[in-house]
Amino acid sequence: DTGVSQNPRHKITKRGQNVTFRCDPISEHNRLYWYRQTLGQGPEFLTYFQNEAQLEKSRLLSDRFSAERPKGSFSTLEIQRTEQGDSAMYLCAIGMTGKNTEAFFGQGTRLTVV
Amino acid sequence: AQTVTQSQPEMSVQEAETVTLSCTYDTSESDYYLFWYKQPPSRQMILVIRQEAYKQQNATENRFSVNFQKAAKSFSLKISDSQLGDAAMYFCAYRTYSGTYKYIFGTGTRLKVLA
């Protein structure tokens, strides 16, 4: 258990539908990341929060994607008008500024768009 | 922009033997962190080992050690006494020292451990 809970674990949706994923850090961590991982590839950076502020967004994050982190605790990632190319594993990771520099990953949400 | 390259899509090792996974990276920064993460099938990623770029000494964690060559921008992972439980995808990652602290991952190396 790395201290990051992601829900749902699996999501199957029809093309064109909206989906929302949630990431719950079990303990306080001021940094929160969203990554996308397709089969056989490494995680690709999507966005990063420092507390509640979204400080960076990848150009991979099109205008159909939005992420929030109200109150600097849990975070949500919404994909509107899903496309088949959105099928991937969406990973949430947390970290702290300071000596322990590694990120702790959740188990991810696997999205399948049919 | 920083990049991380893992040129070995797949590696095999006999149980109890030693294997080395390669990673190279490109950056113009002088301070940064490097990591190796392990991702077992259908399991979450976990940290194997980390290296601070300002430290010349190579990091070690039990059976895992790295060979960090800063000038060559090389960061290889050595696994000694390989065990069946070591079978997984291994990802090399780079993290900036400041700014957004985002992690940049390589494409991974699938390690198979043969009994």
Side-chain angles (χ1 to χ4, degrees):
Chain A
D1 181 10
T2 59
V4 184
S5 175
Q6 289 191 248
N7 289 288
R9 294 288 309 280
H10 303 274
K11 178 72 176 178
I12 300 174
T13 190
K14 291 184 178 179
R15 189 173 50 190
Q17 297 292 305
N18 299 343
V19 294
T20 299
F21 311 140
R22 182 174 170 123
C23 171
D24 282 275
I26 294 174
S27 56
E28 280 193 25
H29 285 78
N30 61 349
R31 293 187 276 121
L32 187 145
Y33 308 82
W34 284 99
Y35 280 82
R36 180 172 71 186
Q37 186 178 22
T38 52
L39 200 62
Q41 297 297 315
E44 296 174 294
F45 172 78
L46 292 179
T47 190
Y48 159 72
F49 290 86
Q50 175 95 10
N51 299 312
E52 67 273 13
Q54 188 174 20
L55 296 186
E56 185 171 345
K57 291 170 57 173
S58 164
R59 61 176 182 271
L60 292 174
L61 215 65
S62 74
D63 56 5
R64 297 185 298 106
F65 289 71
S66 62
E68 295 182 342
R69 194 184 184 198
K71 302 179 183 177
S73 55
F74 72 93
S75 177
T76 59
L77 177 68
E78 181 184 15
I79 308 175
Q80 295 182 327
R81 305 181 303 281
T82 51
E83 301 172 357
Q84 286 190 320
D86 297 332
S87 296
M89 177 75 84
Y90 290 84
L91 299 171
C92 176
I94 58 174
M96 282 293 287
T97 304
K99 188 174 183 180
N100 291 327
T101 57
E102 67 266 27
F104 298 93
F105 283 81
Q107 291 186 294
T109 294
R110 181 168 296 284
L111 173 67
T112 302
V113 181
V114 297
Chain B
Q2 298 90 2
T3 58
V4 176
T5 302
Q6 293 180 250
S7 59
Q8 305 157 316
E10 191 171 294
M11 294 282 285
S12 296
V13 62
Q14 206 71 34
E15 198 175 3
E17 297 295 307
T18 296
V19 65
T20 298
L21 308 184
S22 301
C23 173
T24 58
Y25 59 94
D26 190 27
T27 183
S28 57
E29 298 180 333
S30 57
D31 289 324
Y32 46 87
Y33 298 94
L34 296 166
F35 306 86
W36 279 97
Y37 278 89
K38 171 185 177 181
Q39 188 177 41
S42 302
R43 301 276 306 275
Q44 67 206 108
M45 290 222 293
I46 57 174
L47 178 71
V48 174
I49 198 166
R50 69 166 174 259
Q51 174 79 43
E52 292 91 339
Y54 60 85
K55 288 187 177 179
Q56 292 186 341
Q57 186 173 9
N58 289 325
T60 62
E61 286 288 342
N62 301 314
R63 299 183 294 108
F64 299 88
S65 62
V66 299
N67 183 3
F68 173 49
Q69 301 290 326
K70 190 172 184 180
K73 296 179 182 174
S74 170
F75 183 61
S76 61
L77 174 70
K78 186 171 81 171
I79 306 174
S80 304
D81 186 25
S82 297
Q83 301 175 0
L84 294 177
D86 294 334
M89 283 291 289
Y90 285 81
F91 293 98
C92 178
Y94 170 103
R95 204 213 81 177
T96 56
Y97 191 71
S98 60
T100 58
Y101 306 99
K102 72 180 179 184
Y103 296 77
I104 300 163
F105 288 84
T107 51
T109 296
R110 181 174 302 280
L111 178 66
K112 294 184 177 180
V113 181
L114 308 174

